Amino acid sequence: MQEIYEFRVQEQHASRLFAPDEGEKLGWTKLFGDKFVTVRKVKLYADDPKFKRVGELEALIKKEPHGFFFAGWNILRRYTADELEKAELFLLHHVATFEPSGENCGTQYDESSACRHCQAGARQTTPLFLDWKRIPKSKDIARTIAGEIVVSARLMKLFKQHSITGAKFLPIRHRPASSAESKDWFQFVADSSDALIIAPTKTGIHPFDEDLSDEYRCPLKDQIGLNRLSEVWISRASYNGSDIAASRQFLGRRGGLLRPERLLLISPKLRRAIEAEKLKGFKFEVAHLI
Ligand SMILES: [Zn+2]
């Protein structure tokens, strides 16, 4: 497995580390709070001396008011055919994201059922109400910014055809006042959320900040971090063997419409079926069972 780190470096500071033609200039990008900055995308291996410098510059520039060196990051993991063939489990991630969230369209949650510390795990108490015209049409799986997952009728059919276990598909309604249900999209709910994420899985705020003050880790250990920094390891004893399963713990944070989310794990059988049908809207990574 090869890890490549991708940073969206703020153009204003890029010359402190990179040559003018290094990376790919992306133009304006929107940050939280409606702030716009120009960025460039730069890819680095962790053993590149510049990788360490990215972390040092981030720490330095962060001390300035509203300062930051990179506005976003991502870790790409590339596998050999042999590694993919031998994998016992996969993580389904980088699911296509859209707005508005279910809550914006009238979906309700019982906040009293959520963790009192990290507010993860609030139960949805109504059908999922969504403006389904906003779901990206070219995708087969998509999520709202609040982590509500929808799947296409095509994917639901694939589950039936291949006798895939471990998921429920629930109707999506446009709004509380209308009983109309989408024929093209369904809410996806995993039957099981018992897969236990264990060490050496690493979480943190970004590749140079492992959140040593545990800002995004719940004392009850249900929310285990803001972001995932490594591949994921799952306790073999906790995995029920179904083709799709959710993790017991959550990543992310509660704030505004955002909710901590579980990870989704899928079997090699489901991955093969999805690949064969060329379904879209996500990426895979190997997940380790130990
Ligand atoms: Zn909690």
Side-chain angles (χ1 to χ4, degrees):
M1 189 270 293
Q2 205 177 34
E3 277 182 335
I4 300 155
Y5 287 77
E6 188 180 276
F7 295 100
R8 281 159 198 258
V9 174
Q10 193 174 183
E11 194 55 48
Q12 181 192 344
H13 299 299
S15 63
R16 295 169 79 160
L17 185 58
F18 301 108
D21 60 350
E22 214 169 338
E24 180 191 349
K25 290 188 181 172
L26 297 179
W28 294 98
T29 194
K30 188 182 167 189
L31 302 177
F32 278 123
D34 288 340
K35 185 177 157 60
F36 284 83
V37 291
T38 50
V39 294
R40 84 165 75 165
K41 187 165 79 181
V42 181
K43 290 181 182 177
L44 296 170
Y45 291 107
D47 60 1
D48 186 319
K50 284 186 181 168
F51 176 79
K52 198 168 154 246
R53 282 294 294 147
V54 170
E56 288 165 358
L57 281 165
E58 174 64 18
L60 185 72
I61 295 170
K62 195 129 191 136
K63 288 183 187 145
E64 300 169 9
H66 310 293
F68 55 89
F69 184 57
F70 57 86
W73 58 275
N74 185 21
I75 307 170
L76 312 168
R77 298 192 171 90
R78 288 190 189 148
Y79 297 92
T80 62
D82 191 46
E83 286 169 332
L84 292 174
E85 188 55 41
K86 284 183 179 149
E88 294 181 273
L89 200 61
F90 291 89
L91 174 75
L92 193 147
H93 71 136
H94 279 288
V95 173
T97 302
F98 68 98
E99 293 184 64
S101 71
E103 203 173 337
N104 280 138
C105 303
T107 307
Q108 287 181 19
Y109 287 85
D110 174 12
E111 301 299 341
S112 72
S113 66
C115 174
R116 67 183 193 281
H117 295 285
C118 66
Q119 290 146 21
R123 210 172 47 238
Q124 185 184 324
T125 55
T126 63
L128 180 59
F129 298 110
L130 265 190
D131 182 357
W132 62 65
K133 291 186 191 70
R134 299 287 295 275
I135 303 174
K137 284 189 183 57
S138 62
K139 310 295 184 198
D140 293 288
I141 307 181
R143 62 179 274 284
T144 67
I145 53 163
E148 294 133 339
I149 300 174
V150 300
V151 299
S152 66
R154 215 152 75 97
L155 186 133
M156 196 174 75
K157 213 170 107 194
L158 178 96
F159 268 62
K160 285 189 184 143
Q161 270 170 2
H162 294 264
S163 308
I164 300 289
T165 56
K168 269 193 281 297
F169 302 98
L170 307 176
I172 295 174
R173 283 168 54 186
H174 210 255
R175 54 182 181 276
S178 157
S179 60
E181 294 176 352
S182 172
K183 292 182 178 56
D184 303 320
W185 295 98
F186 299 86
Q187 181 177 13
F188 168 87
V189 181
D191 289 336
S192 149
S193 49
D194 291 327
L196 190 66
I197 303 169
I198 55 173
T201 309
K202 208 162 81 174
T203 64
I205 294 171
H206 61 63
F208 308 99
D209 183 348
E210 293 185 21
D211 190 12
L212 296 179
S213 62
D214 291 339
E215 188 183 351
Y216 298 103
R217 289 186 191 105
C218 179
L220 300 183
K221 300 191 179 346
D222 46 0
Q223 177 211 31
I224 57 165
L226 182 62
N227 293 303
R228 189 172 53 87
L229 301 180
S230 70
E231 290 181 294
V232 69
W233 279 261
I234 300 291
S235 142
R236 191 179 290 275
S238 70
Y239 171 55
N240 66 3
S242 59
D243 290 312
I244 191 153
S247 65
R248 192 177 304 173
Q249 302 103 316
F250 298 81
L251 277 107
R253 67 184 175 94
R254 182 78 175 103
L257 295 166
L258 304 180
R259 293 174 184 276
E261 296 174 43
R262 299 179 195 270
L263 299 184
L264 275 184
L265 302 149
I266 70 166
S267 67
K269 173 186 165 183
L270 178 53
R271 176 178 169 269
R272 274 194 301 274
I274 286 175
E275 296 262 280
E277 292 289 324
K278 298 190 166 48
L279 300 187
K280 293 189 183 76
F282 47 84
K283 288 186 173 133
F284 295 114
E285 251 184 33
V286 169
H288 305 278
L289 273 177
I290 51 172

